[in-house]
Amino acid sequence: MFSIFKKRKPKADIDDPGMVDISTNSTTHTSDTTLDLADLGNKDSGPCRPILTEYKKIKFGTQQRSFRSQWYNECDWLEYSVQRNAAFCFVCRTFGSENSGENIWIKSGFNNWQKFLVKSKKNSSTSTHLTNLSKMCAYKSSLKTGSVVTQLSSAHKKQVEINRKYMSSLIDVVLYLAKQGIAFRGHNENLDSLNQGNYKEMCHMVFSKFMPDLKNVYENKINHTSWKVQDEIIKISADLLKKLLLRKLLFLGILHLWLMKPGPIKKNSYLNKESSKYF
């Protein structure tokens, strides 16, 4: 008769978003944050989206509700953990920090299925989710085009190759004019001159007709065709030629001594080493 004075246990508010305590149901309670998330995706694999014939159901009052695979089409960021029977936000979980976004979508998982549509739309519109989404887009872009550092490194490497090819062409022009004994400079080397001299006129012809990929480099304000650069190239070329001639003369002198005293050349002898450089 005194049963009316007994305190009733408050009913769980099943309208609250997030994890629903399902320990009283046939399924396992999944709100333990220490539970492993090995069945979820990562940056390389993308979100885990298993499509099952039937998902575990959770009791909401008198009704049984479960996850629906159709929700994958409505939320690009959605992933589902079979182990936890809960939904997660792949974007916030993978590209966000531990303290960013709602903990329910990152760590414990969301399984209040009757509120899923409302709460998923709310999560999609949060500033934290949008920030993490931009991080994911930047990551995907870096996989295709490379990171900023990689792009800068590739651009630098390409520029170095162009510069080397350009300078090699200038050296070839210098060596050709020097070999033929042709004068380098002209009377008027200004841009409006009809004849800028043999060196610049030949450079213009080479880069305009035969090397159009280097034409832009030649047309720059600094194109390394000044008389100072010409003199430096001539001096460097002359020094290298002197060293080469001296080495050959030295070899010929040693060869002459060997001819004066014929005999087999030892394998590790100086004459054998020097001769291998030229023959």
Side-chain angles (χ1 to χ4, degrees):
M1 62 180 292
F2 297 101
S3 59
I4 59 174
F5 297 104
K6 292 182 180 180
K7 293 184 179 180
R8 295 182 180 180
K9 294 183 179 180
K11 294 183 179 180
D13 188 0
I14 60 175
D15 291 335
D16 288 342
M19 290 295 295
V20 175
D21 189 349
I22 56 175
S23 57
T24 58
N25 299 327
S26 59
T27 54
T28 306
H29 183 259
T30 60
S31 62
D32 184 10
T33 57
T34 61
L35 195 60
D36 190 16
L37 296 177
D39 62 338
L40 294 179
N42 52 46
K43 289 183 178 180
D44 297 326
S45 64
C48 179
R49 295 183 160 193
I51 299 179
L52 308 178
T53 55
E54 185 178 359
Y55 295 89
K56 292 181 181 179
K57 294 183 179 181
I58 300 176
K59 188 175 182 180
F60 293 87
T62 59
Q63 295 181 340
Q64 297 280 345
R65 297 180 182 271
S66 64
F67 179 83
R68 296 181 182 180
S69 58
Q70 295 90 329
W71 291 337
Y72 291 143
N73 300 326
E74 300 179 12
C75 304
D76 295 336
W77 47 265
L78 180 63
E79 62 179 348
Y80 175 77
S81 171
V82 177
Q83 186 178 9
R84 289 200 177 196
N85 186 26
F88 291 83
C89 177
F90 171 78
V91 175
C92 296
R93 187 182 61 82
T94 308
F95 295 92
S97 60
E98 294 184 356
N99 298 325
S100 66
E102 292 188 43
N103 185 68
I104 200 71
W105 291 105
I106 299 175
K107 293 183 179 180
S108 57
F110 183 96
N111 65 1
N112 192 352
W113 307 129
Q114 64 177 357
K115 290 287 185 178
F116 176 81
L117 295 178
V118 176
K119 298 303 178 181
S120 61
K121 290 181 180 179
K122 181 181 178 181
N123 178 67
S124 300
S125 60
T126 60
S127 59
T128 303
H129 176 82
L130 295 176
T131 300
N132 295 330
L133 182 62
S134 64
K135 292 180 181 179
M136 184 182 71
C137 293
Y139 174 76
K140 290 183 177 180
S141 177
S142 67
L143 295 179
K144 296 180 180 179
T145 60
S147 63
V148 176
V149 177
T150 303
Q151 294 181 41
L152 291 175
S153 178
S154 300
H156 174 73
K157 184 178 180 180
K158 184 177 180 180
Q159 187 62 45
V160 169
E161 292 177 355
I162 292 175
N163 293 341
R164 288 179 177 176
K165 185 178 180 181
Y166 177 76
M167 289 304 301
S168 177
S169 302
L170 293 182
I171 293 172
D172 289 338
V173 173
V174 169
L175 294 179
Y176 174 78
L177 295 177
K179 182 179 180 180
Q180 299 301 118
I182 302 175
F184 280 64
R185 304 190 64 188
H187 178 69
N188 183 3
E189 295 185 348
N190 295 330
L191 294 176
D192 57 351
S193 175
L194 297 177
N195 188 347
Q196 293 181 300
N198 294 322
Y199 180 75
K200 289 194 174 183
E201 289 294 335
M202 182 170 287
C203 288
H204 179 73
M205 179 188 67
V206 169
F207 296 126
S208 297
K209 294 185 177 181
F210 304 106
M211 294 183 175
D213 54 326
L214 299 178
K215 183 179 179 181
N216 294 332
V217 182
Y218 176 73
E219 292 178 349
N220 289 335
K221 186 176 181 180
I222 302 176
N223 57 11
H224 305 290
T225 58
S226 66
W227 63 270
K228 289 185 178 181
V229 177
Q230 296 176 34
D231 290 346
E232 187 173 356
I233 293 176
I234 294 172
K235 184 178 183 304
I236 293 173
S237 301
D239 291 341
L240 291 175
L241 182 60
K242 286 180 182 178
K243 290 181 180 180
L244 180 61
L245 290 175
L246 288 175
R247 288 175 60 186
K248 286 188 175 182
L249 289 174
L250 178 61
F251 171 74
L252 291 175
I254 296 174
L255 181 62
H256 176 71
L257 293 176
W258 176 75
L259 292 174
M260 296 291 292
K261 186 180 179 181
I265 302 177
K266 295 181 180 180
K267 183 177 181 181
N268 296 326
S269 64
Y270 178 75
L271 181 60
N272 180 272
K273 294 179 181 179
E274 288 296 318
S275 61
S276 63
K277 298 178 181 178
Y278 308 102
F279 302 100

